[in-house]
């Protein structure tokens, strides 16, 4: 019905009455006190969650298609009708700096609030330095539909049009491990960064993505034992033979 609703996560009961109209997207501030909604006319409205009253004026008329709060709750990132990212002060609604990016569809802040992840119409993920508005490195992946940044800011998770989740090393842009799941449309990290939640047509799944306590034991378990003398001479000919695994 294009209204916003609040739910008690513990009891799954609805809190209060529906509010807003023609709501297409929502974002909750980190302190849980403010809700941002986007209407079908592209306007952003802020709401006091306790009393469901509107806060301040509408802004971004004909502009916004996505919205996100910074981790500190002081900044709103919106995607305008121009396909660019617009940063606004959540208290004064004033625009911060010039818009940046192009053909952006989705935005997500890094946990430290210093980096913004975006997905563009080319379905790649990009990282942006929020201090300079400069793009960081090359785009990630292809066919990306959703994105999340790990709490330590070192890993990017994407959900692709192939309906799998992928993990990426932000420093090297290298993919980490194989794709996860087979009906994935959304991804989120746990607060400690050790678990990835994926959601999609097959429901919600949790994945243990924490590194093993003993990396050597884990590698040996996967390999099934040490390299033979012949394998060692083939793959590591410049080093003397060692029996690495017990």
């Amino acid at each position: 019905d294009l209204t916003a609703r609040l739910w008690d996560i513990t009891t799954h009961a609805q809190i209060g009455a529906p509010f807003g109209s023609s709501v297409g997207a929502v974002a909750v501030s980190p302190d849980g006190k403010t809700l941002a909604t986007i209407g079908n006319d592209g306007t952003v409205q802020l709401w006091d969650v306790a009393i469901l009253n509107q806060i301040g004026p509408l802004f971004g008329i004909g502009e916004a298609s996505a919205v996100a709060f910074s981790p500190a709750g002081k900044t709103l990132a919106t995607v305008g009708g121009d396909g660019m990212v617009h940063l606004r002060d959540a208290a004064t609604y004033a625009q911060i700096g010039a818009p940046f990016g192009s053909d952006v569809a989705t935005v997500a802040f890094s946990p430290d609030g210093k980096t913004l992840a975006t997905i563009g119409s080319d379905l790649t993920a990009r990282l942006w330095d929020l201090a300079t508005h400069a793009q960081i490195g090359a785009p990630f992946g292809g066919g990306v539909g959703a994105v999340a940044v790990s709490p330590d800011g070192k890993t990017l998770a994407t959900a692709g049009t192939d309906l799998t989740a992928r993990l990426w090393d932000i420093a090297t842009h290298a993919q980490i491990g194989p794709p996860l799941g087979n009906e994935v449309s959304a991804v989120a990290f746990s607060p400690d960064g050790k678990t990835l939640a994926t959601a999609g047509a097959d429901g919600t799944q949790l994945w243990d993505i924490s590194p093993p306590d003993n990396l050597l034991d884990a590698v040996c378990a996967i390999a099934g034992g040490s390299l033979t003398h012949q394998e060692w001479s083939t793959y590591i000919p410049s080093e003397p033979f060692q029996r690495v695994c017990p």
Side-chain angles (χ1 to χ4, degrees), residues 122-168:
D122 62 355
L123 299 182
T124 63
R126 298 168 189 264
L127 298 180
W128 303 85
D129 184 315
L130 287 177
T132 64
H133 293 192
Q135 184 174 318
I136 303 170
F140 288 83
V144 176
V147 66
V149 182
S150 66
D152 63 7
K154 295 181 179 179
T155 306
L156 190 75
T158 60
T161 52
D162 63 354
L163 301 182
T164 66
R166 296 171 189 263
L167 297 175
W168 305 85

Side-chain angles (χ1 to χ4, degrees), residues 92-245:
T92 66
Y93 315 109
Q95 185 162 305
I96 303 170
F100 58 94
S102 62
D103 295 323
V104 177
T106 303
V107 292
F109 282 93
S110 64
D112 62 8
K114 295 180 179 180
T115 306
L116 192 75
T118 65
I119 299 174
S121 60
D122 62 355
L123 299 182
T124 63
R126 298 168 189 264
L127 298 180
W128 303 85
D129 184 315
L130 287 177
T132 64
H133 293 192
Q135 184 174 318
I136 303 170
F140 288 83
V144 176
V147 66
V149 182
S150 66
D152 63 7
K154 295 181 179 179
T155 306
L156 190 75
T158 60
T161 52
D162 63 354
L163 301 182
T164 66
R166 296 171 189 263
L167 297 175
W168 305 85
D169 184 302
I170 287 178
T172 65
H173 285 219
Q175 185 174 320
I176 303 170
L180 304 173
N182 53 26
E183 290 288 345
V184 178
S185 58
V187 290
F189 285 95
S190 63
D192 63 6
K194 295 181 178 180
T195 304
L196 184 75
T198 61
D202 59 350
T204 300
Q205 298 184 43
L206 300 179
W207 305 84
D208 183 350
I209 58 172
S210 59
D213 293 332
N214 189 310
L215 185 58
L216 178 60
D217 287 349
V219 170
C220 288
I222 294 171
S226 291
L227 297 177
T228 64
H229 283 275
Q230 182 176 350
E231 291 169 333
W232 190 281
S233 63
T234 300
Y235 298 116
I236 322 176
S238 61
E239 298 293 329
F241 175 78
Q242 298 179 53
R243 187 166 295 280
V244 179
C245 300

